[in-house]
Amino acid sequence: MAGKPDEPLSIEIKPLGEEDRNRWNILARGYKTFYETTLPGSKYEEVWRDC
């Protein structure tokens, strides 16, 4: 994403794919840890399927 200061920033937004799952899992679990809450592992699976 970072380019030269005079180049416009380009961001691509796309649906989540299987290749995103590991990073999504880290993000989702980190979010819950930050807010000191927990979910059972099965709930993460359920949420991923619904993405």
Side-chain angles (χ1 to χ4, degrees), residues 1-18:
M1 274 191 342
K4 296 178 184 175
D6 58 339
E7 291 180 355
L9 180 63
S10 176
I11 298 174
E12 179 182 355
I13 300 173
K14 62 183 181 94
L16 290 172
E18 192 58 39

Side-chain angles (χ1 to χ4, degrees), residues 33-51:
T33 298
F34 179 83
Y35 287 103
E36 300 177 349
T37 59
T38 60
L39 286 176
S42 62
K43 195 65 168 168
Y44 289 100
E45 294 297 319
E46 180 183 332
V47 171
W48 174 256
R49 284 191 310 267
D50 292 343
C51 285

